[in-house]
Amino acid sequence: MANLDMEQHSSESEEIKKKKHKKRARDKAKKLKQPAMEEEPDHEDGDAEENNALIDEEPKKKKKKNKKRGDTDDGEDEAVAEEEPKKKKKKNKKLQQRGDTNDEEDEVIAEEEEPKKKKKKQRKDAEAKSEEEEKKMEETSIMTNKTFESLSLSDNTYKSIKEMGFARMTQIQAKAIPPLMMGEDVLGAARTGSGKTLAFLIPAVELLYRVKFTPRNGTGVLVICPTRELAIQSYGVAKELLKYHSQTVGKVIGGEKRKTEAEILAKGVNLLVATPGRLLDHLENTNGFIFKNLKFLVMDEADRILEQNFEEDLKKILKLLPKTRQTSLFSATQSAKVEDLARVSLTSPVYIDVDEGRKEVTNEGLEQGYCVVPSAMRLLFLLTFLKRFQGKKKIMVFFSTCKSTKFHAELFRYIKFDCLEIRGGIDQSKRTPTFLQFIKAETGILLCTNVAARGLDFPHVDWIVQYDPPDNPTDYIHRVGRTARGEGAKGKALLVLTPQELKFIQYLKAAKIPVEEHEFEEKKLLDVKPFVENLISENYALKESAKEAYKTYISGYDSHSMKDVFNVHQLNLTEVATSFGFSDPPKVALKIDRGGYRSKREPVNKFKRGRGGGRPGGKSKFERY
C-alpha cells in the first residue's frame, strides 16, 4: 500500500512539473507576442489551489504592473478582466445618475424645441409660398423688381425720376429701355396703363444728353401721338424728365395757334411732341423748323393713329424725315396695318410683347360688369346711376358721338349735375383746361367720346361707364383701361346694353374679357321722365341739341362694324327717341346706308381728313369724335 501511495505521489509531482513547464513556455510565447489582455484558459480541477494562489498574489503586484507590463502573468489578466466590468458598472451608474437628474431638463428642452421646429417649418413654408407668389406676380403684374438705378442713367435724369416717385420699372420699361438706349429699333406691344411713356422718353432724354443737343441743333427727338390730350400728357412727362437738363421741349397739336408754334419751333425744340396733322403742316410749311438732325422717332399708340386715318399723313411724314435715325413704335394691339407700318419704318426691330400668355387682357384690379337696359329707359338709368355717386366717385361716361356727348352735358347742367366734357368740336383753349381739371379732381363726372379712350392717365378713376357700346372688344379694352391703372390699383367698369345687343358679351368673353351681369332694377329708377321731356320741349336750344344727338346716334349705330350685334334696322326708333327726352321720334333726316355700311372711322373726304374733311369751316359731315 505504501508503495502504491508513493507511486501515486511521484506521478502527481511529475504531472505538476510538466504543467509548470508548459506554463513557462506559454509565458515566454506571450512575452514575445505581447498580446492584448486575454482570459486564462480553463484548468483542470487539480489546478484549483494553484490558481487561487496566483489570484491572491495579483493585488500585491498591481503597482509593478504599470512599470513592467511584460512581467505580469495570467493572474493580472484575470484581475483586469474583473476590474473592467466594475468600471463599466460605475460609468453606467454615473450615467444613470446624470440621466435621473437631467430627465426634467430634457423634457423641458424637448418641449421648447418642438415649437421652434414648428416655427422653422412654418417659416420655410411661408418663404416657399412667397417665392411662388412672387413668380406669379411677375407673370401677371406690370411691375418688376428691376430699379431705374440699375440702368446707369445720368444724374439729372435719375434725379427727375426719383422726384416723380418711381423706383421700380414696369415690364415694358425693363424690356424696352435697354435696347432703346443701345440704339436699336423697337416694336413694343403692351396693354394700356403699363408705363409705355417712360419706356421711350427715358432713352430719348438720355440720347439728347449724350450727344449734347442744343436749341440751335433743332429737333433731335420726335414723338407722334394720335390725340391732342395724349400729346399734352406726353409733353408733361417729357418736361419733368428734362427738368435738370439744358435741352428744350415743346408740342405742336391741332387747335393751338399755328403762328405761336412756328415761333417756338424756330427757336429750337430738341424734344418735340406732336399730333400727325399739325406736324405734317409744320414740316411742309414752317421755314424755321430744323429737323434734319433728327436722331430718334417715336410713334405712340400707332394702331390708334392708323385707325383715325392718319395713314397717308404718316407716309408723308416718314418721307420728309431723315432716313438715318432710330425708330420705335408702340401699340396696344398688333394689327395688319401696324405690321405694315413697322416694315416701312423700322430696321431689324426688337419685338417686345409683355402681354403674351396672359389669361385676361384687362387690368388685374378691374371689376367688370354689364347691365341689360331697355332702350327707352337708358337715360333714366344713367341719371339714377350718376345721382347715386355724384360727389362721391370719379366717373367717366363714354358716348358714341360728339353731338350725343354735347347734349347730355347740356342736359346735366340744366338739372344741376356738375360735369365736364371732352370731345371733338370743342376749342382747344377750353379742352386742355378741362383735361387738366379732371386729372386733378378727386371726384367728378367726365362725359367723353373715344378721344379719351387711349393712353390718357387720369388718376384714381372709380367707374368707367360705357353708355354707348364700343365698336369692338379692342375699343372696350381701351375704354376700361382708364381705371385700375398701375400696380395694385382698383376700379370698376359698367357696360350698358339693350336686349338686342346682348350677343356682344360673347365677343368680349372670346377676347378673354371677364364680365358679369348686374341685375337691372326698374323700381329703383328716378321718376323724372315727365320732368325731362317737359324741360327739353320748352327749351329750344336743348331741344335742337337733343335732335342732333338722336340723329348722330342712329348714324353712328349704322356705322358699327359688328352688324350681327348692332343692326340699325332692328332699332325701335320710338324707344331711342325716349332715351333722348322725346315722347315721339323727332322729324330729322336720317342718313342710313341701306345696303352695306360705312365704317365709323371712314372720313367724308379721305384726301383732306387732317384738314377738316375739305368742308367749309374745317368741319366734317359726321363728327364722331
Side-chain angles (χ1 to χ4, degrees), residues 373-490:
V373 182
S375 188
M377 299 179 185
R378 291 174 74 245
L379 181 58
L380 296 180
F381 176 82
L382 180 61
L383 288 170
T384 304
F385 181 89
L386 295 179
K387 180 71 175 176
R388 179 185 174 187
F389 295 111
Q390 187 181 22
K392 300 174 185 176
K393 301 291 183 181
K394 195 170 182 177
I395 305 168
M396 292 179 70
V397 185
F398 282 93
F399 297 88
S400 58
T401 68
C402 297
K403 296 292 176 66
S404 183
T405 310
K406 178 177 178 287
F407 159 69
H408 286 91
E410 290 171 352
L411 174 64
F412 291 169
R413 292 189 191 109
Y414 270 111
I415 60 178
K416 308 301 180 185
F417 259 37
D418 290 333
C419 66
L420 301 170
E421 60 175 319
I422 291 180
R423 57 177 174 82
I426 298 178
D427 190 81
Q428 195 62 38
S429 61
K430 294 180 181 178
R431 194 160 139 176
T432 300
T434 300
F435 169 68
L436 298 174
Q437 184 181 343
F438 193 67
I439 286 176
K440 295 175 183 177
E442 293 183 4
T443 62
I445 301 168
L446 176 68
L447 310 184
C448 56
T449 58
N450 276 357
V451 75
R454 287 290 195 98
L456 300 186
D457 188 10
F458 295 111
H460 314 301
V461 174
D462 299 296
W463 278 95
I464 299 295
V465 180
Q466 302 193 57
Y467 183 64
D468 291 336
D471 191 54
N472 51 52
T474 301
D475 282 353
Y476 174 94
I477 292 167
H478 290 303
R479 285 180 173 187
V480 299
R482 299 316 97 210
T483 188
R485 295 172 67 83
E487 186 71 8
K490 303 286 184 181

Side-chain angles (χ1 to χ4, degrees), residues 204-256:
V205 170
E206 287 296 284
L207 172 63
L208 293 174
Y209 171 76
R210 287 199 308 270
V211 298
K212 298 179 181 179
F213 241 73
T214 61
R216 70 176 183 175
N217 297 127
T219 299
V221 174
L222 178 60
V223 180
I224 303 175
C225 301
T227 65
R228 301 171 188 180
E229 281 72 25
L230 184 55
I232 293 168
Q233 181 177 286
S234 298
Y235 165 76
V237 176
K239 197 173 181 181
E240 285 188 74
L241 284 174
L242 284 166
K243 185 177 179 180
Y244 299 104
H245 288 281
S246 60
Q247 283 73 30
T248 56
V249 60
K251 67 180 187 299
V252 291
I253 58 176
E256 295 286 359

Side-chain angles (χ1 to χ4, degrees), residues 47-102:
D47 297 332
E49 291 179 4
E50 187 179 351
N51 291 337
N52 289 334
L54 289 169
I55 291 167
D56 290 337
E57 287 178 2
E58 286 307 316
K60 295 177 184 178
K61 296 180 181 179
K62 277 181 185 178
K63 292 180 182 179
K64 292 181 182 179
K65 180 191 70 172
N66 294 329
K67 293 180 183 178
K68 298 180 181 179
R69 190 172 180 181
D71 297 334
T72 59
D73 55 11
D74 290 344
E76 189 178 357
D77 295 340
E78 289 182 4
V80 172
E82 284 180 3
E83 283 181 3
E84 281 180 358
K86 288 179 183 178
K87 288 178 182 179
K88 286 178 182 177
K89 285 178 182 179
K90 286 179 183 179
K91 284 180 182 179
N92 290 335
K93 283 180 182 179
K94 287 179 182 179
L95 290 170
Q96 285 175 359
Q97 287 174 359
R98 286 178 188 172
D100 293 337
T101 56
N102 293 332

Side-chain angles (χ1 to χ4, degrees), residues 251-267 269 272 275 278-279 281-282 286:
K251 67 180 187 299
V252 291
I253 58 176
E256 295 286 359
K257 292 180 180 178
R258 191 192 176 288
K259 186 179 178 181
T260 305
E261 290 178 348
E263 290 173 356
I264 294 169
L265 290 173
K267 291 178 182 177
V269 178
L272 180 65
T275 51
R278 183 54 64 91
L279 173 63
D281 187 4
H282 283 294
T286 303

